[in-house]
Amino acid sequence: MGKIILTGDRPTGKLHLGHFVGSLRRRVELQNSGEFERIFIMIADAQALTDNADNPDKVRQNIIEVALDYLSCGLDPEKSTIFIQSQVPELCELAFYYMNLVTVQRLQRNPTVKSEIQLRGFSESATEGDTTQRQGIPVGFFTYPISQASDITAFKATTVPVGADQEPMIEQTREIVHKFNSVYGETLVEPEILLPDNAACLRLPGTDGKAKMSKSLGNCIYLSDSAEDVRKKVMTMYTDPNHLRVEDPGQVEGNTVFTYLDAFSTPEHFEKYLPDYASLDELKAHYRRGGLGDVKVKKFLIAVLNEILDPIRERRHYFEQRIEEVYRMLEEGSAVARATAAETLNDVRNAMRINYFADKELINEQAERFRNSSN
Ligand code: TRP
């Protein structure tokens, strides 16, 4: 059986470098590797609504931004099916059946759900009138890991390339698959997570050195940022606060500029922009010894980032002039996704034996039973 990818993003904002190193770059490589029979890339608008119920317009506006980001990174609709989650209603039906296989207690233990409850200000104890907390946890939000299991299993995905924060979701999906298959018979495919292979990519810090790039912290470099935006953001980037003078020894660990170089720079970049150093290791060694200023390292990082972003910007510009076509591509992708999900839903209904009208055995059995009882 061929390998199948499903992955996706919530359309709550433009995609940034964290998305790029954490998943987008890898997706394009996987797409072009020819190793996968099918690839599905989903814009998870329904999931975005689980914690943006009061802001549907944000989600609606960002669908096209995410689609443009995908296309500009090199995702190719000829090779990958790009679709919108809400346009595949079969996913809801699957989720409804899976809900019976998951306990409230298990969802409460999901570490991503747990931290998001904090982050989003949903709280169990919030009382009416408390404006700092929203009033309790929406059921749709609480159960989104189950909906995510539908997204993955509907396409019989074998492989889910995502960031480390999604690990609990894949784990929960595997449990649901296992439970379903053991109750109803072998039907669903247990997916494997595919994590980024470079440690710096597991979680790219923001430009302020905070743990994660996030729109709300204002510490992102967006794929759609201009070269000048990138220059400014890198120049103000957090480094080693104790590295005051050029001659001071500097620290590379926890130094955001070096973390970005870990994630992005290649030996070719050194050859081209910083030929005095053969590799990142040499650059780091010099920084540690002292005598290497932040500005020099930052200038190198700017060159590296802009080299990576230039072709992305070019493709984005191209597709921005063809928005109607992009929507048409999404519509076609959604139709293809829907047909695939419908096949799985059919398998699920058969396995659960809720396919009453196709179930001749059931109909005969019942007919027999009633004939016998009326004799
Ligand atoms: N939860 C993912 C995120 O926030 C988005 C997502 C929804 C997803 N369904 C998915 C990712 C299925 C992988 C597979 O980024």
Side-chain angles (χ1 to χ4, degrees), residues 6-10 42 44 47 144 148 151-152 160 162 166:
L6 177 116
T7 186
D9 302 277
R10 297 181 185 197
M42 182 180 76
Q47 186 175 109
Y144 91 75
Q148 192 156 336
D151 303 337
I152 296 168
V160 186
V162 280
Q166 295 296 305

Side-chain angles (χ1 to χ4, degrees), residues 25 261 264-280 300 303-305 307-308:
R25 180 168 65 181
L261 288 177
F264 294 102
S265 73
T266 61
E268 292 76 52
H269 288 137
F270 277 92
E271 224 171 282
K272 198 159 162 193
Y273 302 112
L274 210 55
D276 294 350
Y277 303 86
S279 67
L280 185 53
F300 176 56
V304 168
L305 291 180
E307 176 169 322
I308 292 169

